[in-house]
Amino acid sequence: MAATRLLALHQIRGRTIAESLKERMDYTENDLKTEAKKYISTYGCDIETADEEFLLSQSLYHNGVRDVRKKEIIAYQIRQSFKPGEVTPEKANEIGYELAMRFTKGKYAFTVCTHTDKAHIHNHIIINAISIDGKKKFRDFYFSGIALRRISDILCFENGLSIIKRTPYKERKSKGRYSRKEHFTDKKLEFIKDIEAKLMEGKGKGYVTWAKRFNAKQMAKTVLFLQEHKIESYEQLKEMTDERSGRLKELKDSMKEKEALLSENKKRQQAIIDYSTNRKVFETYKKSGYSKKFYSEHEAELLIYKAAEEVYKSVPKGQKLNMRKLRDEYGHILEEKKKEFTEYAGINKDIHEYLIAKRNLEMLYLQDKSKNEKEGRDKRTRNSRTESVL
């Protein structure tokens, strides 16, 4: 189960857009809340420079499309909270990433920070209000909150989590301007199974008619999808769906590996800077005979130096830390990661349609099998009665 909320983030009064972005992101990226940034993922940006990359898109838009307005919306925040004990931080972050990707359709950069400091694990997703190319601004449409909740519910279903059952409008109690009471349920979203379950409960002729029409509508969409993609059999559809699902997993795993490489690269770059900056302090400390007084006066610098020295020691034998080489390597890895992002976004854009079509065909085959079995039983019954008469 996951409850969602969409918030517009405005430029803070008395602050620049850059300052406002940094303040918002510093909170979501907090080490204590994300376990030292362990549960953070990004799209279209790097977590260490996300605010600067967001600002670049903002500058392109305001310089080329229109000026900054009063109470300018600089970003959007999605808060996604999970039922306590139902999801791990890793899975929550993965779901949050998919939620942001489907909601933005890969056109806007975002960060996903999973907080574990509360009883309920929750995501803070910051989406840049300006598209990655700096040409468009996200428009918060009237039903965007409902659309966001729907995507979140689908993701919860896909990952075997419970969903929120909304109380009918007439049963909601007013408190002030508006309030909505929500209940938790383990019921899944899959529409065909839901229809079958309700038909078993005997909801009446009207409901049966609606269910048939709804099912027919979904099947019509599936047929059009198969025609557009020139899919001629269930086996072909399954193969294409499995291939895309597999590729998505490969890309996701590869991007995570590159994120780890980028993190290690930055760590080594920082070690070079810290080592050279604090080397003289350490040498003086050494000449002082490791004076306790000198250490207490320069503890911060010495600790930074010691940490940098440990990074140097961790480098495999025969290798040396070289800033230029590290920066070139970082740029290469980042470029490869962006290419994978582009491919991932392209495949992820239509994978859901493949999955729905596959599921609908499987249900159709199941219905045909049940129908054939019933006809076979009826035929055997008629034959048996005929033999009895003779």
Coordinates of all heavy atoms in Angstrom, one line a residue, residues 11-44:
Q11 N 9.4 29.2 -5.6 CA 10.6 29.9 -5.2 C 10.4 30.5 -3.8 O 9.4 31.1 -3.6 CB 11.0 30.9 -6.2 CG 12.2 31.7 -5.9 CD 12.6 32.7 -7.0 OE1 11.9 32.8 -8.0 NE2 13.6 33.6 -6.7
I12 N 11.3 30.2 -2.9 CA 11.2 30.7 -1.5 C 11.3 32.2 -1.5 O 12.3 32.8 -2.1 CB 12.2 30.0 -0.6 CG1 11.9 28.5 -0.6 CG2 12.0 30.6 0.8 CD1 13.0 27.7 0.1
R13 N 10.5 32.9 -0.8 CA 10.5 34.3 -0.7 C 11.9 34.8 -0.2 O 12.3 34.3 0.9 CB 9.4 34.9 0.2 CG 9.2 36.4 0.2 CD 8.1 36.8 1.0 NE 7.9 38.2 1.0 CZ 6.9 38.9 1.6 NH1 6.0 38.1 2.3 NH2 6.8 40.2 1.6
G14 N 12.5 35.7 -0.9 CA 13.8 36.3 -0.4 C 15.0 35.4 -0.8 O 16.1 35.7 -0.5
R15 N 14.7 34.3 -1.6 CA 15.8 33.4 -2.0 C 15.8 33.4 -3.5 O 14.8 33.6 -4.2 CB 15.6 32.0 -1.5 CG 15.4 31.9 0.0 CD 16.7 32.0 0.8 NE 16.4 31.9 2.2 CZ 16.3 30.8 2.9 NH1 16.4 29.6 2.3 NH2 16.1 30.8 4.2
T16 N 17.0 33.0 -4.1 CA 17.1 32.8 -5.5 C 16.5 31.4 -5.9 O 16.3 30.6 -5.0 CB 18.5 32.9 -6.0 OG1 19.3 31.9 -5.4 CG2 19.1 34.3 -5.6
I17 N 16.3 31.2 -7.1 CA 15.9 29.9 -7.6 C 16.9 28.8 -7.2 O 16.6 27.7 -6.7 CB 15.6 29.8 -9.1 CG1 14.4 30.6 -9.5 CG2 15.4 28.4 -9.5 CD1 14.1 30.7 -10.9
A18 N 18.2 29.2 -7.3 CA 19.3 28.2 -7.0 C 19.3 27.9 -5.5 O 19.4 26.7 -5.1 CB 20.6 28.8 -7.3
E19 N 19.1 28.9 -4.7 CA 19.0 28.7 -3.2 C 17.8 27.9 -2.8 O 17.9 27.0 -1.9 CB 19.1 30.1 -2.5 CG 20.4 30.8 -2.6 CD 20.3 32.3 -2.1 OE1 19.1 32.8 -2.0 OE2 21.3 32.8 -1.8
S20 N 16.7 28.2 -3.5 CA 15.5 27.5 -3.1 C 15.6 26.0 -3.5 O 15.2 25.1 -2.7 CB 14.3 28.1 -3.9 OG 14.1 29.5 -3.6
L21 N 16.2 25.7 -4.7 CA 16.3 24.3 -5.1 C 17.3 23.6 -4.1 O 17.0 22.4 -3.7 CB 16.9 24.2 -6.5 CG 16.0 24.5 -7.7 CD1 16.7 24.6 -9.0 CD2 14.9 23.3 -7.8
K22 N 18.4 24.2 -3.8 CA 19.3 23.6 -2.9 C 18.7 23.2 -1.5 O 18.9 22.2 -0.9 CB 20.6 24.4 -2.7 CG 21.7 23.7 -1.9 CD 22.9 24.6 -1.9 CE 24.1 23.8 -1.3 NZ 23.8 23.2 0.0
E23 N 17.9 24.2 -1.0 CA 17.3 24.0 0.3 C 16.3 22.8 0.3 O 16.3 22.0 1.2 CB 16.6 25.2 0.8 CG 16.0 25.2 2.2 CD 15.5 26.5 2.7 OE1 16.2 27.5 2.4 OE2 14.5 26.5 3.4
R24 N 15.5 22.7 -0.8 CA 14.6 21.6 -0.9 C 15.3 20.3 -1.0 O 14.9 19.3 -0.3 CB 13.7 21.8 -2.2 CG 13.0 23.1 -2.3 CD 11.8 23.2 -1.4 NE 11.0 24.4 -1.7 CZ 9.9 24.8 -1.1 NH1 9.5 24.0 0.0 NH2 9.2 25.9 -1.4
M25 N 16.4 20.2 -1.8 CA 17.1 19.0 -2.0 C 17.9 18.5 -0.8 O 18.1 17.3 -0.6 CB 17.9 19.1 -3.3 CG 17.0 19.1 -4.5 SD 18.0 19.1 -6.1 CE 16.7 18.8 -7.2
D26 N 18.5 19.5 -0.1 CA 19.3 19.2 1.0 C 18.4 18.4 2.1 O 18.9 17.5 2.7 CB 19.8 20.5 1.7 CG 21.0 21.0 0.9 OD1 21.5 20.3 0.1 OD2 21.4 22.1 1.2
Y27 N 17.2 18.8 2.2 CA 16.3 18.1 3.1 C 16.0 16.7 2.7 O 16.2 15.7 3.5 CB 15.0 18.8 3.3 CG 14.0 18.1 4.1 CD1 14.1 18.0 5.5 CD2 13.0 17.3 3.5 CE1 13.2 17.3 6.3 CE2 12.1 16.5 4.3 CZ 12.2 16.5 5.7 OH 11.3 15.8 6.4
T28 N 15.7 16.5 1.4 CA 15.3 15.1 1.0 C 16.5 14.2 0.9 O 16.4 13.0 1.1 CB 14.7 15.2 -0.4 OG1 15.6 15.7 -1.4 CG2 13.4 16.0 -0.4
E29 N 17.8 14.8 0.7 CA 19.0 14.0 0.6 C 19.7 13.8 1.9 O 20.7 13.1 2.0 CB 20.0 14.6 -0.4 CG 19.4 14.8 -1.8 CD 20.3 15.7 -2.6 OE1 21.4 16.1 -2.2 OE2 19.8 16.2 -3.7
N30 N 19.1 14.2 3.0 CA 19.7 14.2 4.4 C 20.3 12.8 4.7 O 19.6 11.8 4.5 CB 18.6 14.5 5.4 CG 19.2 14.6 6.8 OD1 19.5 13.6 7.4 ND2 19.4 15.8 7.3
D31 N 21.5 12.7 5.1 CA 22.2 11.5 5.3 C 21.5 10.6 6.4 O 21.4 9.4 6.3 CB 23.6 11.7 5.8 CG 24.6 12.1 4.6 OD1 24.1 12.0 3.5 OD2 25.7 12.3 4.8
L32 N 21.0 11.3 7.5 CA 20.3 10.5 8.5 C 19.0 9.9 8.1 O 18.7 8.8 8.5 CB 20.1 11.4 9.7 CG 21.3 12.0 10.4 CD1 20.9 13.0 11.5 CD2 22.1 10.8 11.0
K33 N 18.4 10.5 7.1 CA 17.1 10.0 6.7 C 17.2 9.0 5.6 O 16.4 8.1 5.4 CB 16.2 11.2 6.1 CG 15.9 12.2 7.2 CD 15.1 13.4 6.6 CE 14.8 14.4 7.7 NZ 13.8 13.9 8.7
T34 N 18.3 9.1 4.8 CA 18.5 8.1 3.7 C 19.6 7.1 4.0 O 20.1 6.4 3.1 CB 18.9 8.9 2.4 OG1 20.1 9.6 2.6 CG2 17.8 9.9 2.0
E35 N 20.1 7.1 5.2 CA 21.1 6.2 5.6 C 22.4 6.4 4.8 O 22.9 5.5 4.1 CB 20.7 4.7 5.6 CG 19.6 4.4 6.5 CD 19.2 2.9 6.6 OE1 20.1 2.1 6.2 OE2 18.1 2.6 6.9
A36 N 22.9 7.7 4.9 CA 24.1 8.1 4.2 C 23.9 8.0 2.7 O 24.8 7.5 2.0 CB 25.3 7.3 4.7
K37 N 22.8 8.4 2.2 CA 22.5 8.4 0.8 C 22.4 7.0 0.1 O 22.6 6.8 -1.1 CB 23.4 9.3 0.0 CG 23.3 10.8 0.3 CD 24.2 11.6 -0.5 CE 24.0 13.1 -0.3 NZ 24.2 13.6 1.0
K38 N 22.2 6.0 1.0 CA 22.2 4.6 0.5 C 20.9 4.4 -0.4 O 21.0 3.6 -1.3 CB 22.2 3.7 1.7 CG 22.2 2.2 1.3 CD 22.2 1.3 2.5 CE 22.2 -0.2 2.2 NZ 22.2 -1.0 3.4
Y39 N 19.8 5.1 0.0 CA 18.6 4.8 -0.7 C 18.2 6.1 -1.6 O 17.2 6.7 -1.3 CB 17.5 4.5 0.3 CG 17.8 3.3 1.1 CD1 18.0 3.4 2.5 CD2 18.1 2.0 0.5 CE1 18.4 2.3 3.3 CE2 18.4 0.9 1.3 CZ 18.6 1.0 2.6 OH 18.9 0.0 3.4
I40 N 19.0 6.3 -2.5 CA 18.7 7.5 -3.5 C 19.0 7.0 -4.9 O 19.9 6.3 -5.2 CB 19.7 8.7 -3.1 CG1 19.3 9.3 -1.8 CG2 19.6 9.7 -4.3 CD1 20.1 10.5 -1.4
S41 N 18.1 7.4 -5.8 CA 18.3 7.2 -7.2 C 17.8 8.4 -8.0 O 17.1 9.3 -7.5 CB 17.4 5.9 -7.7 OG 16.1 6.1 -7.4
T42 N 18.3 8.5 -9.2 CA 18.1 9.8 -10.0 C 17.8 9.4 -11.4 O 18.2 8.4 -11.9 CB 19.3 10.7 -9.9 OG1 20.4 10.1 -10.5 CG2 19.6 11.1 -8.5
Y43 N 17.2 10.4 -12.1 CA 17.0 10.3 -13.6 C 17.3 11.6 -14.2 O 16.8 12.7 -13.7 CB 15.6 9.9 -13.9 CG 15.3 10.0 -15.4 CD1 15.8 9.0 -16.3 CD2 14.5 11.0 -15.9 CE1 15.5 9.1 -17.6 CE2 14.3 11.1 -17.3 CZ 14.8 10.2 -18.1 OH 14.6 10.3 -19.5
G44 N 18.2 11.6 -15.2 CA 18.5 12.9 -15.9 C 19.4 13.8 -15.2 O 19.6 15.0 -15.5

